[in-house]
Amino acid sequence: MTAGLRLVLDKVGHAYDDMTVLDDISLTAEPGRVTVLVGPSGCGKSTLLGIMGGMLAPTTGTVCCQGEVAPDCLNPLTYVFQDFALLPWRSVAGNVALVLEGRLSRAERADRVREVLALTGLTAFADAWPRQLSGGMRQRVGIARALAVRPACLLMDEPLSALDAQTRALLLDDFAALIERSGTTTVYVTHNLAEAVRLGHRIVVLSRRPGRIREIVSIDRPLSDRRAGDADLAAMEAALWDMIRDDAAAAERDGPVSGHVSA
Amino acid sequence: MPRLDGPVPFRGGGFAPQSRAWAAAATLLGLIALWQAAASAGAIPTLFLPPPAAIARALWHLTVSGELWKHLSASLSRLAVGWVLGTVFGILTGIAVGLSSALRSPAMAVVSALFPIPKIALVPLFIIWFGIGEGSKLATLGFGVFFPTVIATAGGVDNVSRGLIRMGQSFGLSTWEITRKIVLPGALPAILSGFRVTSSIAIVLLVAAEMIGADRGIGAFVLSAGNLYDTDNLLAGIVLLSALGLTVAWLIGLAERALLRWR
Ligand SMILES: Nc1ncnc2c1ncn2[C@@H]1O[C@H](COP(=O)(O)OP(=O)(O)O)[C@@H](O)[C@H]1O
Ligand SMILES: [Mg+2]
């Protein structure tokens, strides 16, 4: 295992037209650890994640990568999307193969597809169309596709928020295991505090718009021995909620926020 | 106080018409039989409208004499070449218009200005430009097909989810890969429904062009039969055109079913 990739943000700010959504964000995503971004909706989490992966140019500040990338890594900074972003005209296996085409030989590609589908419990669905899958299964394809390129850094934008509560709980445990196993640097955006304390090594709390860093809290326990409902996690969740509830209520009163940036 | 007793009345259902192939065929055959019966009974003067039996006889004579194939093959090859030319250039232009800011406004200005011109009015001009032979006929068909194809394709490209395109970019796909694997398949439903429009436009223009300057082709055949008041052959030509239109629509239906299985 290599040292892994570190993502360093230095005084990042962003404005859409003249609306400032992010201000003075300096932050480091440590190699092999999960950094969770939480904050009320509309505070710029998706914008920040877009900037971190090079999908959006920040108005001010810089984002730098530092570290080593495994030689078989095909796409160092890799997203998992809230709306899954699957091609409806490709089968499950075809959606995974999409990101490998032209980079791996046919045989290597087939092996890689088989491997990540097995890892995400999708082997039996390799030939299914996305429309035939439940939301949870679709997001499994999203994560399989992301793992297939052997990313150095996973950027996940509310990957569970389009799913129902039960599917979310099941998938959350799978995510924890997959992230722990792959050891990639991970940035995970959520507005769900239970997800934050379950997955995060560091939880970055953003204020409401314009998003600034309010607080960074660390949880050092390994992901594998965290269980939903552990007392310390529940206490942490409550503390986080105390921190952001006023902001969340204010953001709510600010009225509807328009669509997400599609990172 | 009013009371409500008894089983809940059923109020749903309906609004779900089903296609029945046998009903379609039976309707056409029934109408032909009715027509033949009326003609045999003397209710329709055969000079004005020859009965189906006479049309069938004319078609038979045309087939055995080789006339049918002579005209049909000329028409079919013009239709195929002209339609393919217009479609290929139309799809390429439509994708360029849909993806490029530099081309969008200029190309759409030209397309919008030229699209409403009935191409039949241009046939004499095309004869001057491309000669009385095949060139003017192919140009008429090609231009007639080109503009609606551009419009259908550009509309289809506009409707491709930007999220899917961002996904492609985030996995490092090249512009060419994104165009071929995301934009084109995403626009395919719109392109295929454009085919329904352009194929019938192509048949209309084919007949018109063949009526202006050709000695072979169904259009030329119908015109010369009309000039001789040979209504049997006139109607035989019209039946051929109807059969041609049905066949083309059937082929497009097959293509849709094969290419859009994922829907
Ligand atoms: N492409 C865009 N153009 C203009 N405003 C945007 C765009 N994307 C997002 N916004 C606005 O920026 C703010 C932050 O958005 P976003 O980063 O999606 O927040 P979050 O993910 O935290 O909910 C919101 O108020 C949103 O309406
Ligand atoms: Mg968001």
Side-chain angles (χ1 to χ4, degrees):
Chain A
M1 170 128 315
T2 50
L5 197 71
R6 174 182 283 114
L7 215 52
V8 182
L9 284 77
D10 186 36
K11 299 197 188 65
V12 166
H14 193 74
Y16 290 110
D17 299 321
D18 40 81
M19 179 176 72
T20 306
V21 294
L22 288 173
D23 187 33
D24 193 29
I25 307 280
S26 293
L27 174 69
T28 302
E30 295 293 345
R33 314 227 87 195
V34 181
T35 303
V36 175
L37 303 175
V38 295
S41 70
C43 77
K45 302 183 294 295
S46 297
T47 305
L48 187 58
L49 202 70
I51 290 171
M52 292 173 97
M55 297 304 293
L56 263 175
T59 315
T60 58
T62 55
V63 185
C64 289
C65 300
Q66 297 172 354
E68 288 162 28
V69 168
D72 61 348
C73 167
L74 299 174
N75 189 53
L77 304 173
T78 297
Y79 284 93
V80 174
F81 299 90
Q82 180 176 6
D83 62 358
F84 323 130
L86 302 180
L87 301 182
W89 51 85
R90 283 192 178 226
S91 67
V92 167
N95 267 285
V96 177
L98 172 79
V99 298
L100 306 173
E101 286 165 8
R103 304 171 183 195
L104 294 183
S105 72
R106 184 177 293 269
E108 287 174 310
R109 204 157 72 207
D111 286 344
R112 185 73 64 87
V113 169
R114 212 170 306 120
E115 173 201 321
V116 293
L117 291 187
L119 212 54
T120 47
L122 286 167
T123 304
F125 299 90
D127 297 319
W129 300 113
R131 70 171 154 82
Q132 297 170 312
L133 302 179
S134 65
M137 283 298 181
R138 288 182 206 181
Q139 192 55 293
R140 283 174 190 277
V141 182
I143 188 99
R145 175 178 61 190
L147 295 176
V149 296
R150 306 262 199 264
C153 178
L154 270 178
L155 303 166
M156 308 172 85
D157 191 358
E158 307 205 23
L160 300 178
S161 68
L163 307 177
D164 65 78
Q166 289 163 17
T167 310
R168 211 182 305 161
L170 290 172
L171 219 49
L172 191 56
D173 289 338
D174 288 355
F175 276 10
L178 289 169
I179 289 171
E180 181 117 284
R181 179 181 174 285
S182 65
T184 50
T185 310
T186 302
V187 182
Y188 188 101
V189 165
T190 183
H191 59 249
N192 181 316
L193 299 177
E195 283 174 28
V197 297
R198 175 75 177 83
L199 286 183
H201 294 110
R202 292 172 84 217
I203 300 171
V204 178
V205 183
L206 297 175
S207 68
R208 79 187 150 104
R209 203 178 68 219
R212 294 191 181 90
I213 296 180
R214 270 185 75 122
E215 191 83 52
I216 298 182
V217 298
S218 297
I219 307 180
D220 284 325
R221 275 214 286 151
L223 300 191
S224 49
D225 34 274
R226 297 187 198 175
R227 294 284 170 275
D230 283 353
D232 58 336
L233 299 184
M236 180 71 79
E237 188 181 333
L240 287 170
W241 176 233
D242 281 340
M243 241 177 266
I244 69 170
R245 73 180 301 155
D246 294 339
D247 269 354
E252 186 68 23
R253 278 193 304 274
D254 280 350
V257 285
S258 54
H260 294 268
V261 278
S262 32
Chain B
M1 183 141 341
R3 287 177 52 81
L4 193 57
D5 293 312
V8 175
F10 176 64
R11 296 178 288 177
F15 296 98
Q18 304 211 319
S19 295
R20 297 188 176 123
W22 59 266
T27 306
L28 288 183
L29 291 176
L31 284 174
I32 292 171
L34 207 63
W35 175 9
Q36 180 63 49
S40 304
I44 304 175
T46 53
L47 186 61
F48 291 151
L49 190 63
I55 299 170
R57 209 176 307 121
L59 277 172
W60 172 247
H61 287 309
L62 287 170
T63 312
V64 293
S65 71
E67 283 282 285
L68 179 88
W69 183 242
K70 185 183 95 179
H71 294 298
L72 198 58
S73 61
S75 290
L76 284 179
S77 58
R78 285 171 192 144
L79 191 63
V81 176
W83 183 83
V84 167
L85 276 178
T87 297
V88 167
F89 285 105
I91 290 176
L92 292 178
T93 311
I95 288 179
V97 165
L99 292 182
S100 150
S101 316
L103 285 176
R104 191 184 191 85
S105 300
M108 277 324 272
V110 174
V111 168
S112 312
L114 298 184
F115 177 49
I117 303 173
K119 302 301 170 297
I120 297 174
L122 296 179
V123 174
L125 193 62
F126 287 147
I127 291 179
I128 297 173
W129 289 356
F130 301 106
I132 188 84
E134 294 305 302
S136 60
K137 292 167 191 64
L138 297 181
T140 312
L141 258 81
F143 275 94
V145 168
F146 175 78
F147 295 105
T149 305
V150 173
I151 290 171
T153 307
V157 172
D158 282 345
N159 278 335
V160 175
S161 149
R162 296 300 118 167
L164 291 183
I165 294 178
R166 297 278 172 259
M167 181 278 291
Q169 290 178 316
S170 81
F171 278 96
L173 270 59
S174 65
T175 307
W176 165 243
E177 283 181 297
I178 290 174
T179 308
R180 197 169 63 79
K181 295 176 182 171
I182 299 178
V183 174
L184 191 60
L188 199 59
I191 294 174
L192 285 175
S193 59
F195 282 6
R196 292 199 178 277
V197 177
T198 58
S199 63
S200 48
I201 289 178
I203 292 176
V204 170
L205 290 176
L206 170 77
V207 174
E210 287 179 341
M211 283 182 163
I212 292 183
D215 48 5
R216 298 200 321 155
I218 302 177
F221 173 74
V222 166
L223 186 72
S224 69
N227 288 341
L228 299 171
Y229 295 98
D230 179 356
T231 50
D232 290 5
N233 274 327
L234 176 68
L235 267 277
I238 288 170
V239 166
L240 279 181
L241 289 173
S242 165
L244 182 60
L246 285 175
T247 309
V248 169
W250 175 72
L251 288 176
I252 293 172
L254 280 190
E256 278 180 340
R257 233 162 305 144
L259 295 173
L260 304 181
R261 260 179 315 141
W262 49 272
R263 291 221 285 196

